[in-house]
Amino acid sequence: MRKRFATLILILFLTVLIGCTEDNGTVGQNVYIDGIDISGLSRAEAIEKVQAGVQKRLIECTVTVTNDVGDSVEFTADKLSVKTDTEAVIDEALQGGTDLFGDENKTLETTVLFDTSGDAERIGELVKELNREPEDAKVCFNAEADGYFDFSGGTEGFEVDAEKLAEAMDGMIVEDGIELFAEGVKLPPEYSVQEARQEHTLLAKFSTSFKEEPFNAENRVFNIVKAAELINGSCILAGESFDTNKVLGDRTEENGWRTAPGIRNGKYEQEYGGGVCQVSTTLYNAALLANFEINERYHHSWPMGYIEKGRDATISTGGPDLIFTNTSGASAYIFAIADETDCSMTVCIVGKPSSDYAYIEIKTDCIETIAQPTDEYELDSELPDNTKKRERKGKEGYIVRTYREFYDASGQLLERQLVSEDRYEPFSTLYRVSSDLYYASK
């Protein structure tokens, strides 16, 4: 009877104890969640304590996001929305309690997951350093570079797809050392290096030589070098005209020009800026090869020794000029270089090539040779008797047609344009003679 009574008392004691635990929501002894002792805590207290631990885990969890070029940003998990089963785990602890007669700990773990389905905007802000603005190509003149220009920039930009990143993170377990790759959109530059190179392509290159006498006279070479320096680096905008006389200025002593032979009145005379016609001639041929429109151009009184007939261009202060227009549709640049070592004058024109043809050639056709007239004699009463001096050397005349021919990449002729028809008048040889010879010839 006593034994049955003792057993009944024990059962009643345990029932009351367990009932108190459930009714009061008090956790039993030796209960740990995420390593946190919650023994004897109420449900609310346990939730608060475990949640504090979860928050600490979030702060300690580093998320690293890397973009397409290896740039990365880091942030902690507490910056984003998460979901956790903390309350469910605590309820499990409350229901199960611990072994009231044992010393073993009851250990439980919570699970924390990213809940980022609605966090795209916040994620976008966190990883904005991974975004790159596209960089347009830059073009810098460099006389030492092939093609005279250096190119830089022209790089793609990048914008993280925050929606995809949020989707990739959603439901992921929060744990330290998370690494993610950010997908995104490539942002092309408005002006690429390829476009820049295309608009700075060598359109034409033409050279003449001043190696032979009399073209290599010191003052003449000085004037050539000076003219080349004034022209070099000129930029002609699309549709803009280049006026050679305007660029060079008046050829005077005050402007730093030297005297050298130039053609006047059918013969060579010393004049300031003598020799610049070789520069204008070289420039003219480069402009033809670049398919620029020639607005004004004049040939010399007779053909020059440094260029084919029909391809020369004479200029003078206050007189003939060379003017052409950039019809390429983009800016063009003129580079004029007088090489005193090589004794050459070179003009390069850089710009945007046409898609209508691959290259241009200049051809000339001498359609008529005009005989030199009979010699002429001019009285010079100051000459002693029986004296004859040649004042001017006679020359044949010519009629020359110059053509601009357009070819495709295979060398097929596409079009032939008549550029000019030049008439070089013939000259008689002119002598100055003494009175006796002059009247004897009459």
Side-chain angles (χ1 to χ4, degrees):
M1 180 70 177
R2 285 184 179 179
K3 186 176 181 181
R4 290 177 61 193
F5 180 76
T7 300
L8 181 59
I9 294 296
L10 178 58
I11 291 171
L12 289 171
F13 173 77
L14 291 173
T15 301
V16 171
L17 179 61
I18 294 172
C20 286
T21 301
E22 292 178 353
D23 291 344
N24 296 330
T26 302
V27 180
Q29 298 301 310
N30 301 323
V31 179
Y32 292 83
I33 297 180
D34 298 338
I36 299 170
D37 185 1
I38 61 168
S39 303
L41 299 181
S42 67
R43 186 176 187 277
E45 291 171 334
I47 289 174
E48 183 179 355
K49 192 169 184 180
V50 173
Q51 280 295 88
V54 169
Q55 186 65 24
K56 184 173 182 295
R57 285 163 62 187
L58 294 176
I59 294 172
E60 293 174 347
C61 171
T62 300
V63 180
T64 303
V65 182
T66 305
N67 67 6
D68 60 324
V69 294
D71 297 330
S72 61
V73 293
E74 292 183 353
F75 56 87
T76 52
D78 63 309
K79 302 293 193 302
L80 298 176
S81 301
V82 296
K83 56 186 176 182
T84 178
D85 59 355
T86 299
E87 294 189 20
V89 173
I90 289 173
D91 287 342
E92 181 184 348
L94 287 168
Q95 292 170 7
T98 60
D99 182 1
L100 299 176
F101 300 101
D103 297 327
E104 294 182 5
N105 295 338
K106 176 69 172 180
T107 302
L108 300 170
E109 298 289 339
T110 60
T111 301
V112 185
L113 306 175
F114 282 112
D115 185 18
T116 53
S117 59
D119 276 0
E121 185 175 347
R122 196 183 312 173
I123 289 174
E125 187 65 24
L126 289 170
V127 299
K128 64 182 180 181
E129 291 180 19
L130 298 180
N131 296 332
R132 301 188 310 276
E133 290 294 326
E135 181 185 355
D136 285 344
K138 296 181 179 63
V139 184
C140 181
F141 172 70
N142 180 1
E144 304 300 319
D146 291 340
Y148 303 102
F149 290 97
D150 289 327
F151 303 90
S152 61
T155 55
E156 289 184 323
F158 178 81
E159 184 174 1
V160 174
D161 189 329
E163 291 284 354
K164 282 190 176 181
L165 188 55
E167 183 180 331
M169 295 183 69
D170 194 40
M172 183 180 290
I173 295 175
V174 177
E175 54 187 356
D176 193 22
I178 295 174
E179 295 184 358
L180 296 166
F181 175 76
E183 295 185 48
V185 179
K186 300 284 189 180
L187 305 174
E190 291 185 8
Y191 188 51
S192 67
V193 168
Q194 182 179 2
E195 291 173 310
R197 288 187 183 279
Q198 186 182 31
E199 292 185 359
H200 295 78
T201 298
L202 181 64
L203 301 181
K205 181 178 182 179
F206 193 80
S207 298
T208 58
S209 173
F210 49 85
K211 186 175 293 185
E212 304 296 330
E213 295 183 358
F215 306 121
N216 59 2
E218 181 180 352
N219 282 359
R220 187 177 188 276
V221 172
F222 174 89
N223 291 333
I224 289 174
V225 171
K226 180 178 175 65
E229 289 174 349
L230 290 171
I231 293 171
N232 190 45
S234 297
C235 175
I236 321 172
L237 302 179
E240 188 176 58
S241 295
F242 183 89
D243 185 322
T244 309
N245 272 341
K246 185 175 181 180
V247 172
L248 297 182
D250 292 347
R251 270 76 79 198
T252 62
E253 183 178 15
E254 292 76 17
N255 288 339
W257 298 92
R258 294 182 182 177
T259 57
I263 298 176
R264 282 189 182 275
N265 303 316
K267 61 181 180 178
Y268 281 110
E269 294 182 358
Q270 293 293 317
E271 63 180 18
Y272 287 104
V276 297
C277 289
Q278 183 161 352
V279 178
S280 60
T281 292
T282 310
L283 179 60
Y284 169 60
N285 281 267
L288 286 177
L289 291 169
N291 196 29
F292 288 169
E293 179 184 350
I294 308 302
N295 307 108
E296 187 176 339
R297 168 261 173 184
Y298 302 89
H299 62 81
H300 288 80
S301 299
W302 57 78
M304 296 290 100
Y306 53 80
I307 191 70
E308 289 182 71
K309 302 176 186 69
R311 298 182 64 170
D312 57 314
T314 184
I315 61 173
S316 66
T317 299
D321 199 355
L322 172 64
I323 302 174
F324 52 84
T325 299
N326 171 13
T327 52
S328 68
S331 295
Y333 303 85
I334 300 175
F335 300 100
I337 301 170
D339 187 333
E340 294 183 74
T341 302
D342 190 47
C343 296
S344 64
M345 175 66 222
T346 300
V347 172
C348 296
I349 298 179
V350 174
K352 184 178 181 179
S354 171
S355 59
D356 297 334
Y357 60 90
Y359 62 93
I360 289 174
E361 289 186 357
I362 308 301
K363 303 288 181 64
T364 58
D365 183 12
C366 182
I367 62 173
E368 185 179 345
T369 300
I370 306 171
Q372 176 182 322
T374 57
D375 295 347
E376 293 182 60
Y377 298 90
E378 184 179 87
L379 173 64
D380 187 343
S381 57
E382 295 184 1
L383 290 176
D385 286 350
N386 200 33
T387 302
K388 180 172 74 173
K389 288 188 176 181
R390 192 177 72 181
E391 181 72 10
R392 181 184 67 209
K393 183 180 179 181
K395 296 179 182 294
E396 292 179 324
Y398 306 94
I399 298 176
V400 182
R401 288 176 183 164
T402 300
Y403 298 89
R404 181 158 45 187
E405 296 181 342
F406 299 81
Y407 292 86
D408 64 16
S410 67
Q412 183 71 32
L413 177 63
L414 301 174
E415 183 183 359
R416 194 177 202 227
Q417 294 178 350
L418 176 64
V419 174
S420 64
E421 181 173 299
D422 298 333
R423 180 184 177 91
Y424 298 91
E425 295 294 344
F427 286 90
S428 60
T429 299
L430 176 63
Y431 293 97
R432 287 190 299 113
V433 295
S434 57
S435 300
D436 61 319
L437 293 179
Y438 180 79
Y439 289 112
S441 64
K442 295 297 181 180

